[in-house]
Amino acid sequence: MRYSVPEGFRDADPNIFTPELRAQVRLGVLLGCGFAFTLFGVGGLGSLAAFVIGLVARERIRRSGGRLSGKRMAWWCIFVGGFLTVFVTAVWSEWFWRHSGFRAR
């Protein structure tokens, strides 16, 4: 009997993947994006996105009852994304305050 390799994902049988595996792959991709956003936060928006991704991932892991892994990466996204969001917001606020021309009397 000869085994044939599928030419692409379209040819693969979708029933060979369990729902838990599909959920884990989706969560892994989501957390990978969150980690990338913590490294390359653009103007603070990437940090905010990482923070939200971390919260979403943590909730999915909690609802799975321990079947999904990635808790450390979710906490990384929450802490680093949250810290960078606050830090960048403070820096932008300070810059705006200094350059706005508004002076308290």
Side-chain angles (χ1 to χ4, degrees):
M1 184 165 149
R2 193 167 184 158
Y3 178 76
S4 65
V5 177
E7 292 295 322
F9 287 111
R10 291 177 294 170
D11 300 335
D13 183 17
N15 296 324
I16 62 173
F17 303 113
T18 63
E20 290 84 13
L21 180 60
R22 289 180 189 180
Q24 183 64 54
V25 168
R26 279 191 227 113
L27 183 67
V29 169
L30 183 69
L31 286 172
C33 290
F35 183 75
F37 281 138
T38 62
L39 296 179
F40 306 108
V42 179
L45 295 178
S47 308
L48 181 61
F51 178 73
V52 171
I53 286 172
L55 291 175
V56 168
R58 189 184 63 153
E59 180 62 23
R60 285 186 187 179
I61 293 167
R62 187 189 65 77
R63 279 190 287 137
S64 75
R67 291 187 311 268
L68 296 178
S69 63
K71 195 180 292 187
R72 287 183 184 165
M73 184 70 78
W75 281 111
W76 168 270
C77 291
I78 291 169
F79 284 130
V80 175
F83 172 76
L84 289 175
T85 299
V86 170
F87 179 75
V88 170
T89 302
V91 168
W92 276 108
S93 299
E94 177 66 23
W95 182 87
F96 181 74
W97 180 261
R98 287 181 184 233
H99 293 85
S100 66
F102 177 76
R103 300 287 182 247
R105 294 178 200 246

